[in-house]
Each structure stands twice: as structure tokens, then as C-alpha cells.
Amino acid sequence: MANSLFAAALLLSPVLGAPAPAPQAPEVTPPASFGPDSQISASVQPSTSGYRVEVLENGYTSATYHGPYTGTPTTVGAVPGPTTIGASIPAQPLNPTATYYNTEGVPLNPMPAPFTPAGGLGTNGSLPRYMVNSDFDFESIALGLYQEWIELDLFHDGLVRFTDEEFTAAGLGPEARSLIEFMADQETGHSTLLTNMLGERAPKQCVYNYPYTTVREWVDFMQRVTRFGESGVWGFINHLDSREVGQLLAQSIATEARQQQIFRQMSGLTPMNVWFENGWPQSWSWTMLAPYISYCPENTTRLAWQNFPTLHILNNANINRYSPNDTAQDGSETVGRRIADPSVSNITGSCENLNVTGYGCGPAIAHNKSEPLSFPGKKVLFQWEGPGSAVGPNNSYVTSSTAGAPRFVGWSQQLNLTYSPLTVTGNNSGYTYQPEGFVYDNQGIINGTMAVMLTDLDLYVTPFNTSLLNPHIVALGLYQAG
């Protein structure tokens, strides 16, 4: 096992040769103005298995089927334990042993060895055991493996689905496609690693149902998928019982962070617009991931995490607009109704091939936006689903919520979870105004691709105990703030 754990071979393909001349991206005449931005109201507020893999003529591989589940589930619901002790985990006072504070600036305790300050976990010379060490570890790493499997399939799928001409028109040449293929191959190593740390009941790869129809939508979808893949690990990694597993997982998720940044660049978004990445509880990332899994092999290991109802953000900014605040207000500029669906790319007013600083959004190392995707005081419109929807592999999981009536909107980004009041306007519909807040200095909290949720309580939580909010979540969504 040690050899497979540390030397899992990457399935790297040969370097692509020089392509035949391909059509150039179309020239776009810049519009006379970039307004009128009439759509936005604003008010500043206080702060199945068995499908074969085919090899295409271009050398890329992908599963032969990507579509919805059409059968009847034989098992329903998250996997339970032998018993459940309580309805929720109550907040507790500070750990009484957390008292260390160094006022001297030098080691205060005897060193166990030269150049080795006292303390730390797993530092006593014990032989490392790179296996999950609790139910929490198993369920967390199993979720991570579900994530790695979809990324392995997803990154390959667009390479197969779209032509060289379509990639060229989207501003992605052979070298960009080769990079995406390498990122897919990285997932081979990641899935091997997590499988080895789980053992014989590690989940297997499934069949998936994707929302995109263009190269731009595919890349946009990948930047959203890698966001909840990355944030979902940051949320649990330091809670793992096995520090050894956490070590190796950190070395894989660092790669995921690079992937997310690259897909943002390929989408024409700013690659980095936050000072700190946000960590999410496992049930948040499972809620994001599950709707895109159609079938799983028989007896695939199931997960214990919750699936929340979907929060639809009706005027989530379309990243393909040169004036994103002109995004329609009715949800029609998202390609579907699933939680992480990308922005519609075939629109009038596209910035994709617009060579104007501050307004173009073609693939680039970096872009500065003259008109941001969102801003403090923006009126954000919501519709939300009730619990009870069938989602996930074989439609065998069911969305649920233990919260009361929604009263607040929670914004989870960077080191913060910030609330704004929700105004309910009808049956499962309402709005809020995007709040203003700062992490340190002038760094605004709300930016990037981030989680947003409706809650019945403005519970105070911090990055290490965010999961205490789960019993109060009515619906969960993915917000494109920047």
C-alpha cells in the first residue's frame, strides 16, 4: 500500500503537437457606452456505473453518458449511525486547557530534543498511520473522494465535448487544453490517495449530469465546483482525528486551490480577490455537489451529511456581461436551477471577446473590473425551495432543514460569517441588500465565489465552529460576488 500511496502514477498524455490553423476569435466592436445599469436596485446598508469510457480521435477520454438518473432509488436518505445522541451539538465555553500565552518570546518549557520546542501533535516519534481514525474522518474523506471523482470526469468531459474551433473561439488554445488535461490527471493521484486512506469501502466513481453547453459555461462551472471542493476541505481538515490524513489531504487541496484560481483566470475573473479562503462544513459542499451526480455503482458507500434545500439567487451576476449589473432579475441568466449552475454565455452584451480594459473578460492572467459583479448595497433577489426534494446519486438523498422561518441572510467568506436582514416578499421569495464589512483595513469581506444562506437565527460562529449554524439553515446557495 505504501508504494501506491506515495507513488501513484499520473496518467499524463503526450504533449500536444502544433495544431492546424484554426479560426481566430471574432473581433467585437466596443459599444458606445456600457450602461445603463438599469436592472439593479441598491440601498447602502449598515455594515450509474457501467458506462464505458471512450477514447476520442483527439486522444481525450470521457464516459459515454452524462445525463439524469431515470430509475427508482432503492435506498433513500443519508446513511445513519447506530443511534443519534441529540438533535444538535450545543455551543460550549472555551476549552479550559487552552491557556498558553507567551509573553517572553522564548520557549517556556523543556525541549524534548535540540531545536525542537515542546508541544505539537504527532511529534513524539510515533510511526505515522495514514488511515482514517474515526467516523468523522471516514465520512469527511469519503466526501472528498466523491469530489475528486467528479473533477476527474468533469475536467476530461469538456475536452471531449468541444471542438478545437470552439476552444479557440473561447480564447483557449492547445496549451490551455493541455493544462486542463494535466489538472484532470492530478485528480487520478488525488482519488488514489483518498481511496488508500479510506480502505476497501472507499466510494467508486459515478456517472454525472452537467449543466453546460459551451466552453465558457464549462470553465465557469469548473471554477464553481473547485470552489466548493476547496472550501469544503478547509472546513474540516483541522477537525480530523488523524493528523497524518490531514497532512496528506492538505498537500492535495493545495493543488485544488491552484486549479480554482486557473479556472477563474480562464473565465476572465480576477484570480485572487480575497485575503483568506473560506472554509465550509461538509454538508455545505455535499449540498453543492450532490445534484450533479446521476448514478453510482451498486453498493457504493453512502454519506452521512445533510443536503440543504437550494437557495436560488435570481440576479446572480452573469460573469459574461461587460455590464454585469445589467444581469436579468428573474434567474434566466443561469443555465439551470441547480445550485452551482454557471452563467449563460450566449448573450447580447458579452464581454468574452471585448478587448477593452475594465470590461473585457476573455481568458487572461488578470482582469480589473470597471464595473464589479457585486457591491455593498446591491439588492439581491432570492427564491428558495422547501425541503423534501430528491437529489444526488440515484435520486436517493433528500433535502432537509430543521430551521424555522427564514429571517436572515448569512454571507460566508474569508474569516467571517456576516448577516443581513431578509425581507420576505411572498411564498419562498424575498430579498436583502448586500452588506458592507471588512476583514482588516479596507479588505471587503464579500468577494469571489462564496456561500450564502437563509437562516432563522443570526448565530455567532467563527471559522472553527461554522457547522454549529447547520441546524438554523433554511436554504443554501452559491453567490458570484466577484
Side-chain angles (χ1 to χ4, degrees):
M1 174 177 170
N3 288 339
S4 65
L5 184 60
F6 292 105
L10 291 176
L11 307 178
L12 298 178
S13 63
V15 176
L16 297 175
Q24 299 299 306
E27 291 292 330
V28 174
T29 301
S33 67
F34 293 96
D37 303 336
S38 57
Q39 297 286 342
I40 290 290
S41 298
S43 175
V44 176
Q45 302 293 302
S47 35
T48 188
S49 132
Y51 285 99
R52 65 184 177 87
V53 172
E54 63 178 353
V55 181
L56 279 295
E57 291 182 2
N58 60 11
Y60 298 124
T61 61
S62 181
T64 55
Y65 178 76
H66 291 93
Y69 176 69
T70 57
T72 300
T74 57
T75 303
V76 177
V79 62
T83 186
T84 300
I85 297 173
S88 63
I89 297 175
Q92 302 288 342
L94 187 69
N95 184 337
T97 65
T99 58
Y100 179 88
Y101 184 74
N102 192 326
T103 60
E104 304 296 327
V106 297
L108 303 180
N109 299 292
M111 288 186 173
F115 315 109
T116 307
L121 298 175
T123 60
N124 63 358
S126 299
L127 182 68
R129 178 181 182 267
Y130 295 99
M131 291 289 293
V132 293
N133 205 39
S134 66
D135 288 348
F136 182 92
D137 288 8
F138 185 92
E139 293 294 332
S140 300
I141 300 303
L143 171 61
L145 184 53
Y146 269 94
Q147 179 77 28
E148 303 295 359
W149 281 135
I150 194 174
E151 290 171 354
L152 175 61
D153 181 86
L154 172 63
F155 298 176
H156 277 130
D157 179 65
L159 296 172
V160 171
R161 187 178 300 203
F162 302 112
T163 66
D164 291 350
E165 291 76 16
E166 288 174 303
F167 275 107
T168 299
L172 299 174
E175 291 171 314
R177 299 198 293 276
S178 180
L179 175 59
I180 295 173
E181 184 180 18
F182 179 75
M183 289 191 282
D185 293 335
Q186 289 175 322
E187 302 307 327
T188 301
H190 296 174
S191 57
T192 300
L193 172 68
L194 270 59
T195 295
N196 289 342
M197 294 192 297
L198 286 166
E200 62 188 77
R201 288 310 306 267
K204 303 298 190 292
Q205 191 167 28
C206 300
V207 174
Y208 308 98
N209 182 17
Y210 299 133
Y212 48 80
T213 58
T214 69
V215 172
R216 287 280 296 185
E217 292 168 0
W218 174 54
V219 175
D220 182 9
F221 183 59
M222 289 191 291
Q223 70 89 8
R224 297 170 194 248
V225 169
T226 49
R227 165 46 51 228
F228 60 73
E230 180 190 350
S231 287
V233 168
W234 293 140
F236 72 72
I237 190 168
N238 284 312
H239 292 286
L240 293 171
D241 289 282
S242 172
R243 310 304 293 177
E244 301 95 324
V245 168
Q247 174 66 46
L248 299 187
L249 184 61
Q251 292 178 235
S252 69
I253 206 61
T255 303
E256 183 102 358
R258 290 164 170 80
Q259 293 173 348
Q260 210 272 335
Q261 176 177 310
I262 289 168
F263 290 135
R264 285 183 62 87
Q265 290 173 310
M266 290 181 175
S267 298
L269 297 168
T270 302
M272 295 185 295
N273 50 15
V274 293
W275 288 5
F276 306 94
E277 296 300 343
N278 194 229
W280 300 356
Q282 296 93 326
S283 291
W284 298 12
S285 55
W286 180 229
T287 297
M288 304 274 182
L289 169 60
Y292 301 98
I293 306 176
S294 295
Y295 300 79
C296 284
E298 187 177 1
N299 295 322
T300 293
T301 295
R302 298 176 62 77
L303 296 180
W305 308 113
Q306 184 174 5
N307 298 90
F308 292 107
T310 298
L311 174 63
H312 301 287
I313 304 163
L314 300 182
N315 58 340
N316 218 357
N318 189 331
I319 70 167
N320 303 299
R321 282 195 172 277
Y322 57 69
S323 182
N325 294 316
D326 286 336
T327 300
Q329 307 287 284
D330 58 0
S332 62
E333 293 199 28
T334 300
V335 300
R337 297 282 290 175
R338 286 179 286 177
I339 191 167
D341 282 356
S343 299
V344 173
S345 63
N346 292 322
I347 58 170
T348 301
S350 172
C351 56
E352 180 179 357
N353 297 303
L354 185 64
N355 188 24
V356 177
T357 300
Y359 292 95
C361 66
I365 293 175
H367 280 294
N368 286 328
K369 286 283 190 181
S370 296
E371 183 177 302
L373 298 186
S374 73
F375 52 90
K378 174 181 175 179
K379 188 176 184 179
V380 184
L381 309 177
F382 300 118
Q383 284 182 351
W384 56 95
E385 299 178 4
S389 296
V391 295
N394 305 66
N395 280 341
S396 62
Y397 292 81
V398 180
T399 61
S400 65
S401 171
T402 59
R407 298 173 53 213
F408 300 95
V409 179
W411 309 77
S412 186
Q413 184 57 298
Q414 306 207 58
L415 305 180
N416 304 75
L417 202 146
T418 303
Y419 296 94
S420 60
L422 173 71
T423 299
V424 176
T425 57
N427 185 26
N428 286 23
S429 62
Y431 68 88
T432 193
Y433 292 100
Q434 182 172 318
E436 184 177 45
F438 301 92
V439 187
Y440 299 119
D441 298 327
N442 63 348
Q443 170 61 12
I445 293 170
I446 296 174
N447 214 331
T449 308
M450 57 177 288
V452 64
M453 67 223 67
L454 304 186
T455 69
D456 64 356
L457 179 69
D458 54 345
L459 184 70
Y460 177 73
V461 293
T462 61
F464 200 64
N465 68 353
T466 308
S467 60
L468 293 179
L469 185 60
N470 284 355
H472 301 282
I473 293 178
V474 176
L476 182 71
L478 191 65
Y479 187 56
Q480 195 64 57

